[in-house]
Structure formats: structure tokens, C-alpha cells
């Protein structure tokens, strides 16, 4: 069995992954708050942990892996939208309107993530479906002395958990100084966080021992993961922005509610996304939803390829140039693998097993293409989620095999001419490619090419 090594944020090192229970791999990933379309940054953890899911299924078997990713459908932004719809005359109770809004945005989310080639998780729990489990967990924390009731709120007492801050590597003092903490007179400690809060008649709410109210954000994931995966499970994932306070708070409340469990064995976090070298922001005009890009004609497979080309623990920069390059590569690959029986090659599995090195896997796939190993290329593309049951319709047959073979032959001849210091022939091929409309880019992994608008096949063939 292939050895998988994953970077554990809690340990600050790569570790060999061994399931807590052989044959039963369990993953929980924090999902979206469903109040609007998923933006481009929201797509990164989806693709990262979909890749992990695919790798684990390949190595351990599809039936051995359980993946849960939640929907947060208890949120002030969802409430606000529902209240506006009710004020505009929409029929139904506030709870009905909130459910309608959540159904709508979850549908959008599924459509957009499906377009990126992401497999649906085995479980997609909604927070509103697990209120009972949350109330029971909060009551247990109160009984154990880890939470207290104050002015209709229930708060977790951070000082009751001695390991608070271990995941993020911060002291409580550092966290108070550097974080935005809600100042409230009923808190015993500024870092104490809300487990339950009261709801008035204008807000959704559920009955509880502390009155009608609704859960805080952090308790949702702790309750749902325990219900679906148990008190101890293998991997917990999400964006690096969730490490503190969300994941730190999850650990505290879960470990205090279930001291016999260990919660998550490995913590994985993906870095953030930029657009054209700048932080994505509406004020900068570089804020995109996934749907924005899809509607612009940028294919889901292209978005996925660009995301996979940067290691998940490094900041990723989305650029139009990267998207164009990715489309050119994928068109060539799709033509090569069309109708070919797929076989997953180990030289692509190995980099993926080394902490999801997608860039290394893509580099290996370029070599498979150059070597004409198209069955292995097809298998690798399936493993990375770039190829489904068939080549996508948009790929078409832009480049026929004769043209592709000729370009590859001429590129090999150019490389030999350079090696032999026959610069006249090498330069003639370079200039001939440009004149024929073949854009060649030399990279560390070898020459890559695409056809420019106005490609002249006769001019290319004249270079023989």
C-alpha cells in the first residue's frame, strides 16, 4: 500500500498517515455558510480536499473512506435575506424563507462545485438538522464545568481547557491582543465564546434549557462531526483562516465534552487565494464567484487545473494567463486520451501521496504526454478529477493528432539542434513556429505549446 504523508498543522510537520481504524478512514471539512454564491476562494478547500478524498479512496478503497462536509444554514446574513424577502411580501414563516434561501444557495453551490469536478461528500449535514445534538453537547459542557450561562447566553470558559491555543501556537494573551473578540459584560474572560445565544421573535430559534435561541457557529461542527464520524476521527480540514478561532474553539469544546476521545488526529489547512497578485476584494474589482468565471467561458476543468498547479499550503494566485495556459494543456491532453482505457500510474500517485503535491503530479503528467503514455495520462487525469467518464464536449478536436505529432517531432528536432549547437536550425524552427501560429513556451519540465488564432497548418508542415 502506498504510504501517504500529510502535513499536520497541530504537529507542524509531515506525518505518515495511519487510519485510527484500519479500513475506516474518516474526514471532516468545514463547508460554506450558504448565504450567497461561492466565491473563488471558497473553491480552493473544495478542490484540495476533493483531491485528498480521491487519493484516500484510491489507496484505501472507495468503501473505506467517509467524507463529511457541512452546510452552515444558521447565520445572520441568511436571516437578513429572509427578513428582506418577508418584508417584500414573500409568503411563509421566517423559518420557511430561511429554508428556501438555504435550498437555493445549496443548489448553486452543488452546481458550481460539480462543474469543478468535485465529488459529492458522503455526508453533507445542515446545521439546522443537528440542533438537538448541539443542545445536548452544550448541556454536557455546562454540567462538566466548561461552560456557563449568562444573560440568556451559554459561553465556553476558555480557561477551563489547558491546551487552548495549541493548534494555532498562540497563548491566550496573544490571542486577546491580536484577535477581534466580542466585548460583552457577561463574559468572565474576553476569549470565552458563545455556544448558545437568545433569539427574539424576529429571528429563528429553537427551544433549549436556556430559553429559545440558536447555536453559536463553533458548536455546529463539533456536534455534527461527533454524530457522523465519532468522538475521534482521522482528518479535519479547512482554510487556514479557520485555524483560529474556529478550529481552536472546536478542539476545546469537543475535547472537553468527550474527554475519552481525541477529536481529529490530523489537521490540514489550505492557504488563501489571490487574484492577479492582489488579495481578492470587491473594492479592488477583482472579486469573482465561481459562477462568474464559468459564465465567462472559463471551464471548470481549467479552474481545477490552475488550483492544482500550486501546492495547497502556499498562497495561490489566480491569473488570466494561467487559465489560458491550463486550457491549452488540457485540450492537448483530452485529444490524446479520447477513447483510451485509463490506468493510474504510480509516478503520479507518489507526489500526491507526499502531502498532496499537485504540481508534482502535473509535472509527471506532462512527461506521460511527451512519452505517449496516454493510458497512464488518462488514469492520472481521472485521479486528479480532470477527466470523467468521457472527454468534455468543450475540448472538441481543436488539434488533430497529425498536427500534434508533427509539432512534438519538430520540438524534439529543435532540442537536438540546440544540443548540437546548430543554432541556425533551432532559430529557424523557432521563427517557423511563430509564423505558423504555434505558441511555444519553454519550461523546466519541457516545451509546452498551443495553437494561436489563425494557425497555419501549411506553414507548419513546411518546417519538416
Amino acid at each position: 500500500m502506498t504510504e501517504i504523508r500529510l502535513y499536520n498543522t497541530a504537529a507542524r510537520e509531515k506525518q505518515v498517515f495511519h487510519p485510527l481504524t484500519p479500513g475506516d478512514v474518516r474526514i471532516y471539512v468545514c463547508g460554506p455558510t450558504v448565504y450567497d454564491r461561492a466565491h473563488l476562494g471558497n473553491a480552493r478547500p473544495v478542490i484540495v480536499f476533493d483531491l485528498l478524498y480521491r487519493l484516500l479512496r484510491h489507496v484505501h478503497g472507495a468503501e473505506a473512506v467517509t467524507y463529511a462536509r457541512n452546510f452552515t444554514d444558521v447565520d445572520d446574513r441568511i436571516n437578513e435575506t429572509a427578513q428582506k424577502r418577508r418584508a417584500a411580501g414573500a409568503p411563509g414563516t421566517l423559518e420557511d424563507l430561511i429554508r428556501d434561501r438555504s435550498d437555493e444557495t445549496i443548489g448553486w453551490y452543488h452546481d458550481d462545485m460539480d462543474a469543478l469536478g468535485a465529488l459529492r461528500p458522503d455526508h453533507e449535514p445542515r446545521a439546522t438538522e443537528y440542533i438537538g445534538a448541539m443542545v445536548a453537547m452544550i448541556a454536557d459542557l455546562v454540567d462538566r464545568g466548561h461552560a456557563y450561562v449568562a444573560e440568556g447566553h451559554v459561553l465556553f470558559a476558555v480557561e477551563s481547557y489547558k491546551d487552548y491555543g495549541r493548534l494555532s501556537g498562540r497563548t491566550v494573551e496573544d490571542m486577546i491582543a491580536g484577535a477581534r473578540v466580542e466585548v460583552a459584560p457577561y463574559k468572565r474572560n474576553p476569549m470565552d465564546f458563545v455556544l448558545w445565544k437568545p433569539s427574539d421573535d424576529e429571528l429563528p430559534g429553537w427551544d433549549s434549557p436556556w430559553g429559545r435561541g440558536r447555536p453559536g457557529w463553533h458548536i455546529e461542527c463539533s456536534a455534527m462531526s461527533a454524530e457522523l464520524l465519532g468522538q475521534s476521527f482521522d482528518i479535519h480540514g479547512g482554510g487556514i483562516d479557520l485555524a483560529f478561532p474556529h478550529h481552536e474553539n472546536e478542539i476545546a469544546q469537543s475535547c472537553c465534552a468527550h474527554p475519552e476521545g481525541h477529536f481529529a488526529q490530523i489537521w490540514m489547512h489550505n492557504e488563501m487565494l489571490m487574484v492577479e497578485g492582489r488579495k481578492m476584494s470587491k473594492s479592488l474589482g477583482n472579486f469573482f464567484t465561481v459562477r462568474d468565471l464559468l459564465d465567462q467561458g472559463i471551464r471548470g476543468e481549467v479552474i481545477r487545473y490552475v488550483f492544482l498547479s500550486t501546492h495547497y499550503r502556499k498562497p495561490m494566485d489566480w491569473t488570466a494567463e494561467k487559465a489560458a495556459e491550463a486550457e491549452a494543456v488540457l485540450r492537448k491532453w483530452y485529444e490524446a486520451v479520447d477513447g483510451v482505457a485509463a490506468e493510474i500510474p504510480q509516478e503520479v500517485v507518489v507526489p500526491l501521496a507526499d502531502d498532496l503535491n499537485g504540481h508534482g503530479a502535473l509535472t509527471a503528467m506532462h512527461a506521460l504526454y511527451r512519452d505517449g503514455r496516454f493510458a497512464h495520462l488518462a488514469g492520472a487525469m481521472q485521479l486528479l478529477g480532470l477527466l470523467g467518464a468521457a472527454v468534455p464536449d468543450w475540448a472538441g478536436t481543436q488539434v488533430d493528432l497529425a498536427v500534434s505529432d508533427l509539432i512534438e517531432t519538430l520540438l524534439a528536432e529543435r532540442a537536438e539542434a540546440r544540443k548540437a549547437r546548430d543554432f541556425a536550425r533551432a532559430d529557424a524552427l523557432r521563427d517557423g513556429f511563430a509564423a505558423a501560429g504555434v505558441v511555444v513556451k519553454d519550461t523546466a519540465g519541457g516545451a509546452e505549446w498551443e495553437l494561436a488564432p489563425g494557425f497555419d497548418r501549411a506553414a507548419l508542415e513546411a518546417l519538416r
Side-chain angles (χ1 to χ4, degrees):
M1 181 179 291
T2 302
E3 180 180 271
I4 298 175
R5 294 174 59 83
L6 302 172
Y7 185 86
N8 186 351
T9 304
R12 291 164 181 77
E13 66 178 7
K14 287 185 191 178
Q15 296 179 331
V16 176
F17 173 66
H18 297 292
L20 292 171
T21 303
D24 182 17
V25 180
R26 289 161 287 161
I27 317 166
Y28 186 90
V29 174
C30 291
T33 300
V34 287
Y35 67 95
D36 207 344
R37 287 279 188 185
H39 61 69
L40 198 56
N42 297 144
R44 194 173 195 199
V46 172
I47 292 174
V48 167
F49 292 104
D50 179 69
L51 183 63
L52 175 64
Y53 183 41
R54 289 170 178 273
L55 174 66
L56 291 170
R57 286 162 60 95
H58 172 71
V59 173
H60 292 276
E63 300 303 317
V65 184
T66 303
Y67 175 21
R69 185 185 65 217
N70 73 295
F71 288 116
T72 293
D73 57 350
V74 182
D75 182 80
D76 290 342
R77 290 164 293 189
I78 301 172
N79 298 341
E80 182 181 352
T81 299
Q83 289 165 339
K84 288 180 178 177
R85 289 185 174 185
R86 184 173 64 175
T93 65
L94 182 64
E95 285 77 11
D96 290 337
L97 295 174
I98 287 171
R99 180 76 183 191
D100 289 345
R101 177 60 172 172
S102 297
D103 288 345
E104 180 181 42
T105 51
I106 288 172
W108 292 344
Y109 186 84
H110 278 148
D111 289 344
D112 294 347
M113 298 308 117
D114 289 351
L116 301 183
L119 301 173
R120 299 277 181 96
D122 301 287
H123 300 287
E124 294 185 287
R126 296 188 186 200
T128 53
E129 297 170 347
Y130 288 80
I131 300 295
M134 296 175 205
V135 169
M137 190 172 190
I138 295 168
D140 191 37
L141 288 168
V142 172
D143 291 343
R144 292 174 182 269
H146 294 292
Y148 59 93
V149 182
E151 298 185 20
H153 294 74
V154 184
L155 296 110
F156 184 87
V158 166
E159 290 180 343
S160 73
Y161 181 58
K162 63 180 178 62
D163 289 332
Y164 191 82
R166 178 173 289 183
L167 176 69
S168 56
R170 310 181 192 185
T171 66
V172 173
E173 292 74 18
D174 289 340
M175 288 185 274
I176 292 174
R180 297 177 182 175
V181 295
E182 181 185 358
V183 177
Y186 47 78
K187 284 188 175 185
R188 296 176 184 173
N189 182 307
M191 290 303 298
D192 292 349
F193 56 89
V194 172
L195 300 172
W196 189 263
K197 51 190 172 184
S199 293
D200 60 26
D201 292 338
E202 294 300 309
L203 291 169
W206 293 264
D207 292 333
S208 80
W210 319 286
R212 182 174 180 276
R214 59 198 191 280
W217 175 36
H218 311 298
I219 196 68
E220 297 175 10
C221 289
S222 285
M224 289 187 283
S225 62
E227 289 289 307
L228 293 170
L229 304 179
Q231 297 175 11
S232 301
F233 56 92
D234 296 290
I235 300 167
H236 195 313
I240 192 64
D241 56 317
L242 299 181
F244 176 81
H246 185 51
H247 290 163
E248 201 75 75
N249 292 350
E250 275 191 74
I251 292 171
Q253 61 202 11
S254 293
C255 290
C256 289
H258 307 299
E260 66 280 7
H262 304 288
F263 199 36
Q265 176 186 201
I266 289 179
W267 285 86
M268 295 178 66
H269 294 95
N270 63 274
E271 260 293 350
M272 307 308 290
L273 174 139
M274 298 183 294
V275 175
E276 302 289 351
R278 306 174 77 181
K279 183 177 179 180
M280 190 168 66
S281 166
K282 290 182 179 179
S283 63
L284 294 175
N286 66 347
F287 182 91
F288 299 104
T289 66
V290 174
R291 180 52 50 182
D292 288 335
L293 294 183
L294 294 172
D295 287 347
Q296 290 170 21
I298 299 176
R299 313 295 181 168
E301 296 89 347
V302 170
I303 297 172
R304 186 180 183 96
Y305 183 104
V306 173
F307 275 46
L308 293 175
S309 64
T310 298
H311 193 274
Y312 78 94
R313 286 194 290 111
K314 294 182 179 179
M316 199 207 90
D317 190 16
W318 171 270
T319 68
E321 180 182 6
K322 288 181 180 178
E325 291 174 354
E327 180 172 341
V329 169
L330 287 172
R331 284 187 183 277
K332 291 192 304 181
W333 287 2
Y334 285 136
E335 183 177 27
V337 303
D338 194 12
V340 174
E343 182 179 346
I344 295 176
Q346 190 65 11
E347 54 259 63
V348 171
V349 175
V350 169
L352 292 181
D354 183 15
D355 196 33
L356 298 184
N357 185 354
H359 177 76
L362 292 174
T363 299
M365 290 160 71
H366 282 288
L368 294 175
Y369 176 82
R370 288 194 302 271
D371 294 344
R373 295 170 56 190
F374 298 148
H376 284 150
L377 178 61
M381 293 179 74
Q382 289 184 352
L383 180 60
L384 270 70
L386 295 168
L387 177 65
V391 168
D393 292 340
W394 66 264
T397 54
Q398 187 189 45
V399 184
D400 66 40
L401 285 177
V403 168
S404 179
D405 288 345
L406 177 56
I407 292 172
E408 293 294 336
T409 298
L410 292 172
L411 284 173
E413 182 180 339
R414 186 190 63 152
E416 286 299 319
R418 285 177 171 177
K419 186 176 180 180
R421 304 183 67 80
D422 184 357
F423 299 118
R425 178 57 176 162
D427 290 347
L429 287 170
R430 177 199 64 198
D431 296 341
F433 281 133
V438 180
V439 180
V440 177
K441 181 179 179 181
D442 291 309
T443 72
E448 298 177 1
W449 58 269
E450 62 180 295
L451 300 185
F455 164 66
D456 186 341
R457 180 168 182 157
L460 177 69
E461 291 177 342
L463 295 175
R464 293 175 186 269

